[in-house]
């Protein structure tokens, strides 16, 4: 259902934006969010890779850093998708303060999947 609703809403917002501010400013805004998003994804991704390497060198498991990486990857994918709603979600996944919410949601999803599959995780 989300695969239909989100693109349809994005198209609606793009059409509304094109009608309100014009076609060229809308296109430029989409390109600008893509460029800024690519820069942020690269910066945050490199920081996360450094954090993983640092934790591994200390003999620690990089669980939190891996979740950061998942959020950054998903955020970058959302930013590459044209549309304002997906751009907002993408930016929220790239910024560390708002990324925490997505990490909690991802952990909840995985815990629920594990609980429903009747598998045990040994710590």
């Amino acid at each position: 259902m989300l695969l239909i609703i989100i693109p349809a809403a994005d198209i609606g917002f793009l059409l509304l934006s094109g009608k309100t501010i014009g076609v060229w400013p809308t296109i430029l805004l989409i390109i600008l969010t893509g460029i800024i998003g690519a820069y942020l994804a690269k910066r945050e991704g490199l920081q996360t890779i450094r954090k993983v390497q640092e934790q591994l060198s200390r003999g620690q498991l990089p669980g939190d850093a891996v979740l950061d990486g998942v959020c950054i990857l998903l955020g970058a994918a959302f930013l590459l998708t044209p549309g304002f709603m997906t751009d907002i979600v993408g930016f929220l996944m790239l910024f560390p303060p708002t990324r925490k919410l997505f990490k909690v949601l991802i952990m909840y999803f995985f815990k629920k999947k594990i609980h429903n599959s009747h598998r045990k995780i040994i710590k």
Side-chain angles (χ1 to χ4, degrees), residues 20-80:
T20 305
I21 63 172
V23 173
W24 289 111
T26 300
I27 291 171
L28 290 174
L29 193 57
I30 291 169
I31 292 169
L32 182 66
T33 58
I35 291 169
I36 293 170
Y39 168 76
L40 284 173
K42 180 181 177 182
R43 187 187 76 185
E44 292 297 317
L46 290 173
Q47 285 179 350
T48 301
I49 289 171
R50 281 188 217 105
K51 189 190 307 183
V52 167
Q53 289 173 338
E54 180 182 308
Q55 289 176 341
L56 287 174
S57 70
R58 283 194 246 136
Q60 299 173 337
L61 290 176
D64 193 53
V66 170
L67 283 177
D68 279 331
V70 169
C71 288
I72 292 166
L73 181 65
L74 290 173
F78 277 118
L79 283 166
L80 290 175

Side-chain angles (χ1 to χ4, degrees), residues 107-122:
M107 283 301 296
Y108 173 77
F109 172 77
F110 281 127
K111 285 180 181 179
K112 188 174 178 184
K113 281 291 238 191
I114 290 169
H115 180 68
N116 290 340
S117 69
H118 303 292
R119 294 186 182 141
K120 298 204 185 256
I121 295 179
I122 300 172

